[in-house]
Amino acid sequence: MELVQSDVTVVGGGIAGVCAAIAAARNGLAVALINDRPVLGGNASSEVRVHINGSAYQGRSPSYYGREGGLVEELKQKLFRHNPLYNQKIMYSVSDTVLLDMVYGEPNIALYLNTCVYETGTEGGRVARVDALQLASERKFRFVSPYYIDSSGDGAVAYQAGAQFRRGREARSEFGESLAPEEADAYTMGDTILFQTRDVGRKVPFKRPAFAYDVTKLSFFEDIRKGLRHRVIPRKVNGLGGLWWLEYGGHIDTVRDNEEIALELRKLVFGIWDYIKNSGDFDGVDPLILDHVSPIPGKRESRRFVGDYMLSQNDLTERPYFADAVAVGGWAMDLHAAKGVYDTGPATAWNFVPGLYNIPLRSLYSANVPNLLLAGRNVSATHVAFGSTRVMATCGCMGQAVGTAAALCVKYGADPADIAAEHIGELQRMLMRDGQTIVGLREELTPCFAEGLTVRASSRRAYANEVPGEAVSLEQPLCLALPIGTERLESVAVRIRNAGDRAETLRLTVLGGDRKENYVPGGELKRAGIEVAAGFDGWMTLDIGCGRPAGDKLYLVFEGAETLALSCNGEKPTGAVSFLYRPEEPAKLRKWEKSILFKNLLPAQHLYDPANIVNGYSRPYGLPNVWASERSGGREWLELAFATPKDVEELQLVFNPRLDLEHFDEPPETLVKDYDAIVTLADGSERRFEARGNDLTLNRYRLNVRGVVRIRFEFGGTHGSPYVEVFAVKLYAPEVKEKESPECTPNR
């Protein structure tokens, strides 16, 4: 038995565990990371091959700018360096190399792969040790640390330590959840084995193995047939990418019956492939081979452990204020059929979540094992809420939160519950410094930096969208969401065309907004009809005359005859978003890849001012909170000047990475690619930093310099956008005392 001592032991190397380990290590802890598989990533590994989805909800988030940030953002963007095809629809796996590179790059992490925890020892109700076996090397380890993070999915350590847990579905009455069943039961979501195909360019036969089903003889064959017809069989390399709805096991025990579930899924996978290849019902499958079948099932749900707070459906829909908020979610409450393909109902129910919600720290540690933190799908949530929190990007955010919280536990010799009660402000500041998103918090600039600060830029984009585009008919109603920095908007101009031979009425409805982080229209403020003359084609000023609190949005809904059309283009002015409008579901705007042209807002709106980079926000929240340059092919610059010299320990830039996207096939075009940073000191000397080929949102520089009087950024180019956009420049002083730290101010 080899003894491994560390500050924190992380069990489970999925996305949650990796983020927990990295966050703890970067905050100075010695970390032991244990994973029972040969690769990292869990369900996102090359073994299982599931996309890292999260709060952006595959680009359909009601918050629009919904992607998480933090370590999950860093991971997604580093994928391009090793596996640029990852995010395409053809279901490439997440690169194991990227995860290993990130973990091996942290000198404070000791990684133990192929290492399975088999026993957890406790003393006085606390986890005292974790014993694990590394079969291939025939070694036993005992991991001892003051704090433990269970991110193992099934909660191996928490279960062995006697932590309180739930399995199955809570009764509707327990938490007042409308989506819960009337009576509690033991049903969970089931498992799936994904598979991939490859086109080898010639006809290849396939013979069904003897253990596999002849699926045409199964009682639910017609459901399988229908499911396949709804998902066109691709004709290219890595075609199918599995079938997420090929699910089984939720009606039995997904832990105890794991091997039975895996065998049943293999019988189904190979049987379905036999049907696809040999039935004659599908064209273009002759040259496809079964290139990969996951050796293990991707597990959705098993145990959920009880914390000091249990997140429920109402927390996701009503989004109450949590003083201990540390992470965000936003995926739909995606509740799968318990019996999977054997169920007579639909494969899943996509239950609407109205935008980003916060997750409290009290849901991320055990209520009865004081030194045990939780991250991933085993956190304290009801079955219904778990339908949203279980996706991997959200799990990664929770992992970053508890890894950072562990650093404070070590610092103060305190348990996680004490951090939630007494040190939550410090934890939130640490998380936001590391790029974590917490809805409604702003990271104010330290007063010593704010005093006498001047921010200038080479140019500023007008709050308008005037680049010529195409005319889009109003046969389909359109909506333009406009953040407004004043308390009223009197008028705005749009470009409209009437292709008919008679006058038509443009119907305009002005709606209010719902929450600053959201793009969800609320109550009606005004309705008007504007006559558009036959043959008219030009800019028209619309009388708005509506008020909202400064920082809110107005939603302009345009409807009319098919001969009426609004001019639109492919530009993406940050903050101002165009949607397809559904009159039957007015609160659910449909994302659109075009933008409605607009200009001449009165009163004038200067929403892309360079001063935005120090306003405490690193993403749109109400207002765009971004500096954007003019449309330019030349070099742009941004400069911060101080009236008196400042001591700077760390400098950060936060660029615009198109937070409306869940996945992307290359670095988002808005990311700044090349730039120089020039730090000028009081004695006239300079420190220069050159960045070329940048593909990260958060760029950090450890300066540790005294007497800074000016910081200037000279931008050479982006990944394709004609605008340079910077969300934030953040400055940190050396050895800042707690009481002098930048505050995180809640904006509810």
Side-chain angles (χ1 to χ4, degrees):
M1 179 74 76
E2 301 175 42
L3 179 64
V4 179
Q5 293 182 304
S6 61
D7 294 319
V8 63
T9 299
V10 181
V11 179
I15 300 302
V18 166
C19 290
I22 292 174
R26 289 183 181 178
N27 280 286
L29 299 193
V31 181
L33 174 58
I34 309 168
N35 193 39
D36 63 358
R37 303 300 302 172
V39 292
L40 296 170
N43 280 344
S45 71
S46 59
E47 291 186 312
V48 185
R49 305 193 179 193
V50 178
H51 276 308
I52 304 175
N53 290 321
S55 57
Y57 187 31
Q58 295 182 340
R60 302 194 300 270
S61 170
S63 291
Y64 195 77
Y65 300 105
R67 205 164 71 245
E68 292 80 5
L71 284 171
V72 172
E73 177 82 351
E74 180 182 335
L75 166 61
K76 284 190 173 184
Q77 291 174 332
K78 285 184 174 178
L79 289 168
F80 299 116
R81 300 177 185 173
H82 301 280
N83 197 358
L85 291 177
Y86 158 64
N87 283 304
Q88 292 189 10
K89 300 298 183 183
I90 53 181
M91 287 297 289
Y92 266 87
S93 71
V94 65
S95 172
D96 301 329
T97 307
V98 173
L99 292 167
L100 285 170
D101 196 43
M102 290 178 71
V103 169
Y104 285 144
E106 298 297 332
N108 287 344
I109 299 178
L111 175 61
Y112 296 83
L113 295 174
N114 295 304
T115 304
C116 182
V117 170
Y118 65 87
E119 185 173 274
T120 298
T122 61
E123 293 179 9
R126 304 171 69 86
V127 179
R129 60 177 172 82
V130 164
D131 294 343
L133 179 63
Q134 198 174 60
L135 281 173
S137 60
E138 299 180 350
R139 298 169 70 186
K140 288 184 178 180
F141 300 94
R142 173 161 290 175
F143 296 91
V144 176
S145 59
Y147 303 98
Y148 295 81
I149 297 172
D150 191 330
S151 54
S152 63
D154 291 337
V157 172
Y159 178 71
Q160 294 169 12
Q164 298 170 6
F165 72 95
R166 300 283 186 97
R167 190 174 74 86
R169 305 186 294 186
E170 289 78 12
R172 183 174 304 173
S173 59
E174 184 174 3
F175 292 90
E177 297 177 305
S178 63
L179 298 176
E182 288 287 351
E183 302 292 335
D185 58 41
Y187 288 161
T188 64
M189 298 187 213
D191 301 357
T192 293
I193 283 182
L194 295 178
F195 61 94
Q196 290 178 264
T197 66
R198 180 159 55 93
D199 189 334
V200 296
R202 60 183 177 83
K203 184 176 181 178
V204 181
F206 175 79
K207 180 175 176 57
R208 174 167 52 89
F211 69 79
Y213 286 128
D214 177 351
V215 297
T216 63
K217 296 180 179 179
L218 296 177
S219 61
F220 52 91
F221 169 66
E222 285 304 318
D223 290 335
I224 290 177
R225 188 172 186 166
K226 181 180 178 182
L228 290 172
R229 287 300 184 190
H230 278 86
R231 293 159 182 82
V232 176
I233 306 301
R235 317 290 197 263
K236 56 188 177 182
V237 173
N238 265 14
L240 269 172
L243 298 170
W244 63 263
W245 47 268
L246 185 58
E247 181 176 351
Y248 178 77
H251 59 300
I252 52 180
D253 190 328
T254 54
V255 178
R256 184 195 64 197
D257 301 320
N258 183 74
E259 294 309 308
E260 175 189 335
I261 293 168
L263 176 57
E264 185 71 9
L265 288 169
R266 290 187 192 106
K267 291 178 180 179
L268 287 164
V269 165
F270 287 98
I272 285 177
W273 184 243
D274 171 53
Y275 168 63
I276 292 171
K277 282 285 288 186
N278 298 321
S279 66
D281 288 350
F282 301 94
D283 296 329
V285 297
D286 283 348
L288 295 184
I289 64 169
L290 197 56
D291 193 46
H292 173 84
V293 177
S294 174
I296 56 175
K299 191 174 293 185
R300 290 182 175 86
E301 182 181 9
S302 54
R303 307 180 184 106
R304 292 168 286 106
F305 291 85
V306 177
D308 279 345
Y309 189 86
M310 202 156 190
L311 210 64
S312 72
Q313 172 189 343
N314 297 322
D315 295 317
L316 276 55
T317 56
E318 297 174 10
R319 291 158 295 167
Y321 171 71
F322 291 127
D324 61 330
V326 291
V328 296
W331 187 260
M333 287 175 285
D334 174 13
L335 302 175
H336 287 229
K339 297 180 181 179
V341 290
Y342 288 86
D343 208 298
T344 56
T348 191
W350 298 91
N351 299 286
F352 184 64
V353 169
L356 293 175
Y357 57 83
N358 280 331
I359 299 171
L361 180 61
R362 287 168 295 153
S363 296
L364 306 183
Y365 58 80
S366 169
N368 68 309
V369 182
N371 65 334
L372 179 60
L373 293 130
L374 307 166
R377 59 182 176 83
N378 60 0
V379 302
S380 183
T382 66
H383 170 82
V384 174
F386 165 86
S388 173
T389 62
R390 65 187 174 86
V391 289
M392 283 183 283
T394 303
C395 292
C397 289
M398 294 187 283
Q400 181 169 356
V402 298
T404 308
L408 288 184
C409 289
V410 171
K411 175 180 178 180
Y412 292 110
D415 288 332
D418 301 320
I419 302 303
E422 301 172 16
H423 304 285
I424 193 62
E426 185 177 0
L427 175 58
Q428 290 170 334
R429 289 190 289 275
M430 293 170 68
L431 288 167
M432 295 183 75
R433 180 170 178 164
D434 292 336
Q436 182 89 309
T437 298
I438 305 172
V439 178
L441 293 193
R442 60 191 293 249
E443 187 181 8
E444 293 182 354
L445 197 64
T446 307
C448 71
F449 290 125
E451 183 179 357
L453 172 65
T454 303
V455 182
R456 300 188 307 134
S458 53
S459 65
R460 180 187 67 195
R461 181 179 181 176
Y463 189 48
N465 183 23
E466 301 181 65
V467 178
E470 61 177 308
V472 178
S473 171
L474 289 180
E475 184 178 14
Q476 157 72 61
L478 303 178
C479 177
L480 173 61
L482 288 175
I484 302 298
T486 56
E487 293 187 352
R488 281 184 68 81
L489 179 65
E490 300 299 342
S491 62
V492 63
V494 297
R495 187 175 178 88
I496 191 164
R497 184 182 74 184
N498 182 359
D501 54 7
R502 64 175 184 175
E504 296 287 355
T505 298
L506 170 67
R507 300 191 300 278
L508 170 68
T509 305
V510 183
L511 305 172
D514 171 49
R515 302 179 67 105
K516 289 187 176 182
E517 71 272 17
N518 274 358
Y519 280 75
V520 178
E524 182 177 313
L525 303 178
K526 181 177 182 177
R527 187 181 293 265
I530 301 104
E531 185 176 279
V532 182
F536 181 82
D537 187 2
W539 289 93
M540 178 176 288
T541 298
L542 306 178
D543 177 28
I544 305 299
C546 290
R548 297 289 293 168
D552 259 346
K553 306 176 188 70
L554 290 173
Y555 297 81
L556 312 184
V557 177
F558 303 95
E559 300 174 272
E562 61 181 351
T563 57
L564 289 181
L566 285 180
S567 288
C568 304
N569 61 20
E571 297 267 309
K572 291 290 181 182
T574 302
V577 183
S578 299
F579 298 93
L580 299 175
Y581 185 73
R582 304 176 181 179
E584 68 280 7
E585 291 183 295
K588 296 183 182 180
L589 298 173
R590 184 179 170 190
K591 190 175 179 181
W592 196 35
E593 290 307 314
K594 296 183 175 62
S595 296
I596 297 169
L597 270 59
F598 68 94
K599 66 176 183 178
N600 296 345
L601 283 77
L602 290 176
Q605 307 289 316
H606 303 296
L607 299 192
Y608 300 132
D609 195 88
N612 291 338
I613 65 170
V614 291
N615 73 358
Y617 294 108
S618 297
R619 62 171 52 218
Y621 179 71
L623 299 177
N625 300 315
V626 69
W627 166 65
S629 73
E630 292 177 341
R631 186 181 179 91
S632 170
R635 295 182 68 88
E636 300 285 345
W637 55 265
L638 181 65
E639 185 178 276
L640 291 80
F642 305 101
T644 57
K646 307 297 180 184
D647 299 338
V648 182
E649 176 193 51
E650 182 174 329
L651 164 67
Q652 294 186 8
L653 289 91
V654 183
F655 296 121
N656 180 1
R658 285 286 308 274
L659 292 167
D660 56 303
L661 304 175
E662 176 86 83
H663 304 298
F664 27 90
D665 297 326
E666 56 189 357
E669 70 276 7
T670 49
L671 274 179
V672 172
K673 183 178 182 181
D674 303 321
Y675 67 93
D676 296 316
I678 303 101
V679 179
T680 303
L681 307 184
D683 62 5
S685 62
E686 292 182 345
R687 303 281 182 89
R688 284 182 166 265
F689 304 90
E690 180 183 280
R692 297 294 181 267
N694 170 60
D695 53 10
L696 296 178
T697 300
L698 176 61
N699 285 213
R700 310 175 76 151
Y701 295 91
R702 290 282 183 177
L703 298 183
N704 294 316
V705 294
R706 298 184 178 275
V708 176
V709 295
R710 184 171 62 251
I711 302 173
R712 182 182 174 93
F713 304 100
E714 296 178 350
F715 303 103
T718 68
H719 281 276
S721 173
Y723 308 96
V724 174
E725 298 190 49
V726 179
F727 277 134
V729 173
K730 302 197 287 185
L731 303 167
Y732 301 95
E735 299 179 0
V736 177
K737 296 180 181 179
E738 175 67 17
K739 66 179 181 180
E740 299 171 346
S741 296
E743 292 298 321
C744 292
T745 306
N747 286 270
R748 306 178 192 174

